[in-house]
Amino acid sequence: MTNHLIIGQYVPGHSVIHRLDPRAKLLIVFAYVLIVFLANNAVTYALLSLFAFAFAALSRISFSFIARGLKPILWVVLFTLLLHLFMTKEGDVICQIGPLSVYEGGIKQGAFISLRFLLLVWMTTMLTLTTTPIEVTDGVESLLGPLKKMRVPVHELALMMAISLRFIPTLMEETEKIMKAQAARGVDFSGGRFSERMKAIVSLLVPLFISSFKRADELATAMEARGYRGGEGRTKFRQLAWKPVDTVFLAAVALLFALLCLLRS
Amino acid sequence: MDIVFEKVEHVYNARSPLARRALYDVNVAIRSGAYVAVVGHTGSGKSTLLQHLNGLLQPTSGAVKIGEETITSHKRPNQLKPLRKKVGVVFQFPEHQLFEETVEKDICFGPLNFGVPEDEAKRKARELIKLVGLSEDVLVRSPFDLSGGQMRRVAIAGVLALEPEVLVLDEPTAGLDPRGRKEMMEMFYRLHREKQLTTVLVTHSMEDAARYADEIIVMHEGTVWGHGTPEEIFRDADKLTAIGLSVPETVKLKQQLEKRFGVVIPSPCLTLEQTAEAIEQLFVKGERP
Ligand SMILES: Nc1ncnc2c1ncn2[C@@H]1O[C@H](COP(=O)(O)OP(=O)(O)OP(=O)(O)O)[C@@H](O)[C@H]1O
Ligand SMILES: [Mg+2]
């Protein structure tokens, strides 16, 4: 039921991308997300796509797997495409469907915006597919480190993030388990009348909330029992290490940025 | 209902890097009215096997035949509801499935889903709450105010309320106190006989498997390692130990006695009663040293 949702999942591996410093990966993806908005013609979009594809290829995760993971957002993409197709009135009229006319500019706009959206999701998915949640949080904490001086509770924020990320799979598992248990008691999650559907959802959400609260409580107790006192003076078991290859990848992004600036119209 | 597994394979997250084969080459037949225990090391695929019994999981290859219905990777009955009514499943830690405001409503939830009239369902709830060893005034309480063991009993009552023909139990007594365990197991056995149920019980207790089951299925690393009567299965203690299982304490006692006294005890010694009898025989025959 939840099998095809891969956003937020981690796929173990030993590729170059997997072994990049999480800080480097975060910076790369963050920079990419920003510079995607520079693209405005075919050449620049092609460059961005090339980069995304190369990144995925280096990670050695199969394209078909990533593509299947993007399926859930496909309807959003389709919607954007259609919206632009019919709402943009630029250039020549290509064809006429009833009262609606499709302009050349509409096709271009629609295609570009959809592609932009896909690329954004693609790269952020690549980040989570190749980086464990723990690495992501360590990376974030380290990158935001300077803000500590401004009394931003960086460590606490990172911890919150770590806990949320850590429990996404657990929550999914739990959801599946409860859905199965209720299905065995005759609940039909795929159809039925409105009132039946509401009942089905309640029978899923109540146990889910209860176990989440219970788990939060247990987690807090366990942390206290092991002497957790926040970030002050806390050392790390895993030390992050910046390697030359990380610099190379960042340089590649810088190059991409430069090229985009040159080639955009 | 007869249940037949033919070359069943199940892969979780098939066709993805996270694919994991939990079952393979499972060929097993469970005849109608049998009490079957499924044992096996943790992670050997017991729970996965059980979920094929009412179409919660479909085999990724092979076929599961349940009565008239056949479930394969590409085909399953359009209507799973009748099957789910006939096959009641008590999951591992079933207390997590409780959600209604009162115990009574929660027990009635299943029957109402299957179209049982409300007063009939309520009558059944009153009957079942006593059957699982709780008093009737629990019915009006919130299930979340109960202790873990009481919640477990309520959840079990909620499945029994479906009046299934096949009762599937996934470690139903894990975490209960010794007396509660015994009571529960006796209750399931009584139901099994009185209502001529087909019972499939997953358990880590070799004693329970030996005492109640007609047949034992031993799972090992995703496939059926052995299938036979308790006597056959517990004959070879060393082989079972090698796959992380053991034999009941009484069988161990029998082996010790045989070794110490150099005798052969013909009884399989599967239960305390049998064992006591076998020891008595030893004395009566005057074979004691
Ligand atoms: N929902 C799931 N997604 C992916 N893999 C799973 C899932 N459920 C079980 N598995 C895997 O399938 C294998 C068999 O699991 P299963 O739950 O059937 O074992 P089990 O014999 O019931 O163990 P236990 O005695 O601990 O309950 C395990 O390796 C487990 O990791
Ligand atoms: Mg299990």
Side-chain angles (χ1 to χ4, degrees):
Chain A
M1 293 172 233
T2 42
N3 274 353
H4 32 263
L5 198 69
I6 63 161
I7 297 169
Q9 248 180 37
Y10 170 69
V11 178
H14 298 283
S15 71
V16 207
I17 306 291
H18 280 86
R19 280 180 287 126
L20 280 183
D21 190 296
R23 285 171 297 186
K25 264 187 275 190
L26 279 164
L27 287 174
I28 291 168
V29 172
F30 189 63
Y32 187 91
V33 165
L34 289 182
I35 60 179
V36 156
F37 292 93
L38 285 175
N40 59 359
N41 57 21
V43 191
T44 43
Y45 271 109
L47 262 178
L48 280 169
S49 311
L50 192 70
F51 185 88
F53 267 97
F55 203 76
L58 285 173
S59 77
R60 295 180 177 278
I61 296 173
S62 77
F63 284 126
S64 68
F65 178 68
I66 305 173
R68 247 183 304 137
L70 293 180
K71 251 189 217 159
I73 60 150
L74 223 54
W75 66 270
V76 184
V77 174
L78 219 65
F79 181 72
T80 347
L81 187 67
L82 288 179
L83 204 68
H84 279 275
L85 219 51
F86 293 120
M87 301 308 271
T88 314
K89 298 193 173 17
E90 272 169 34
D92 306 326
V93 177
I94 303 277
C95 70
Q96 191 91 30
I97 310 165
L100 296 166
S101 42
V102 176
Y103 293 81
E104 194 194 333
I107 294 185
K108 235 165 81 182
Q109 275 291 324
F112 283 168
I113 304 280
S114 314
L115 187 59
R116 176 186 292 173
F117 189 66
L118 272 177
L119 287 175
L120 286 177
V121 180
W122 179 287
M123 281 304 279
T124 34
T125 306
M126 285 309 303
L127 174 69
T128 55
L129 283 180
T130 61
T131 324
T132 60
I134 291 287
E135 280 180 323
V136 174
T137 16
D138 280 354
V140 169
E141 187 174 353
S142 163
L143 285 175
L144 297 183
L147 292 181
K148 272 183 193 157
K149 295 209 181 70
M150 291 155 64
R151 293 177 168 252
V152 178
V154 172
H155 174 78
E156 283 69 20
L157 287 174
L159 183 75
M160 267 161 67
M161 195 172 131
I163 292 175
S164 333
L165 285 173
R166 158 65 186 80
F167 281 104
I168 289 174
T170 313
L171 211 63
M172 302 245 256
E173 253 168 50
E174 193 103 331
T175 309
E176 194 163 327
K177 230 186 257 170
I178 296 170
M179 277 172 91
K180 279 181 179 168
Q182 307 299 27
R185 292 208 280 168
V187 174
D188 184 1
F189 283 99
S190 55
R193 277 180 286 118
F194 181 72
S195 60
E196 281 168 10
R197 278 180 172 235
M198 288 318 288
K199 190 83 186 177
I201 290 174
V202 170
S203 79
L204 170 65
L205 286 187
V206 173
L208 208 54
F209 268 104
I210 297 223
S211 69
S212 300
F213 282 128
K214 217 183 264 169
R215 186 167 301 118
D217 208 37
E218 279 163 12
L219 184 67
T221 315
M223 283 168 72
E224 247 172 77
R226 291 201 234 164
Y228 178 80
R229 292 253 172 334
E232 209 59 41
R234 200 173 154 80
T235 54
K236 283 221 183 298
F237 174 60
R238 280 172 306 273
Q239 297 290 340
L240 299 177
W242 191 271
K243 297 175 294 303
V245 62
D246 297 309
T247 318
V248 171
F249 270 86
L250 273 189
V253 179
L255 185 66
L256 183 68
F257 174 65
L259 284 174
L260 286 182
C261 289
L262 276 175
L263 295 172
R264 72 193 297 260
S265 44
Chain B
M1 280 199 297
D2 287 319
I3 298 165
V4 182
F5 281 70
E6 279 170 5
K7 292 219 170 108
V8 169
E9 178 202 64
H10 188 89
V11 181
Y12 282 106
N13 307 316
R15 292 180 297 119
S16 90
L18 304 168
R20 188 183 186 108
R21 190 177 70 171
L23 286 182
Y24 71 95
D25 198 27
V26 173
N27 296 290
V28 109
I30 297 172
R31 76 192 146 70
S32 187
Y35 193 126
V36 180
V38 181
V39 300
H41 198 260
T42 189
S44 58
K46 304 181 296 295
S47 300
T48 310
L49 186 78
L50 290 196
Q51 288 171 45
H52 284 81
L53 293 174
N54 68 347
L56 281 175
L57 290 180
Q58 281 173 265
T60 42
S61 83
V64 182
K65 292 185 182 148
I66 307 158
E68 308 283 288
E69 308 279 12
T70 302
I71 303 176
T72 64
S73 63
H74 49 276
K75 177 181 159 285
R76 62 179 205 182
N78 324 356
Q79 286 297 328
L80 278 171
K81 247 183 159 176
L83 182 63
R84 303 239 160 107
K85 167 92 178 71
K86 284 185 202 152
V87 184
V89 184
V90 176
F91 282 90
Q92 243 170 329
F93 304 107
E95 50 273 29
H96 296 316
Q97 72 193 36
L98 302 176
F99 74 99
E100 287 278 19
E101 297 124 79
T102 68
V103 168
E104 182 178 39
K105 278 192 183 171
D106 213 288
I107 298 179
C108 294
F109 179 65
L112 291 180
N113 280 331
F114 288 113
V116 173
E118 190 158 353
D119 45 342
E120 164 93 21
K122 281 190 173 166
R123 193 184 51 73
K124 222 179 274 169
R126 261 196 307 283
E127 180 189 313
L128 282 167
I129 199 77
K130 277 180 284 187
L131 194 69
V132 296
L134 297 174
S135 72
E136 252 184 65
D137 43 289
V138 173
L139 283 175
V140 294
R141 287 172 60 185
S142 158
F144 302 110
D145 294 342
L146 303 177
S147 78
Q150 289 169 323
M151 282 165 88
R152 173 77 56 90
R153 287 159 196 260
V154 170
I156 289 174
V159 175
L160 294 179
L162 305 175
E163 304 203 313
E165 292 172 33
V166 180
L167 185 58
V168 179
L169 307 161
D170 198 348
E171 296 181 45
T173 57
L176 291 185
D177 60 276
R179 201 176 102 201
R181 262 157 106 136
K182 180 124 204 310
E183 281 170 9
M184 272 291 167
M185 290 311 300
E186 289 291 335
M187 192 262 307
F188 288 132
Y189 191 53
R190 216 168 49 237
L191 274 179
H192 170 78
R193 275 179 315 173
E194 281 169 10
K195 309 223 158 141
Q196 276 109 46
L197 300 180
T198 308
T199 306
V200 182
L201 165 79
V202 168
T203 180
H204 284 296
S205 158
M206 298 301 139
E207 282 75 20
D208 284 348
R211 170 178 281 272
Y212 300 107
D214 307 321
E215 291 169 27
I216 297 180
I217 296 173
V218 184
M219 296 295 296
H220 181 56
E221 291 180 354
T223 196
V224 176
W225 179 87
H227 181 185
T229 61
E231 197 176 335
E232 288 162 358
I233 295 294
F234 292 131
R235 202 170 281 152
D236 204 334
D238 294 339
K239 273 196 193 157
L240 279 177
T241 317
I243 59 164
L245 297 175
S246 71
V247 295
E249 293 294 321
T250 52
V251 177
K252 285 185 200 155
L253 174 66
K254 164 186 155 164
Q255 287 168 344
Q256 287 280 326
L257 288 173
E258 285 180 331
K259 211 161 90 194
R260 291 272 174 102
F261 301 133
V263 292
V264 175
I265 300 173
S267 162
C269 296
L270 293 176
T271 59
L272 272 178
E273 293 81 358
Q274 272 181 358
T275 316
E277 213 167 282
I279 296 174
E280 188 188 8
Q281 290 282 316
L282 274 187
F283 280 107
V284 172
K285 278 195 200 149
E287 281 179 19
R288 96 197 121 107

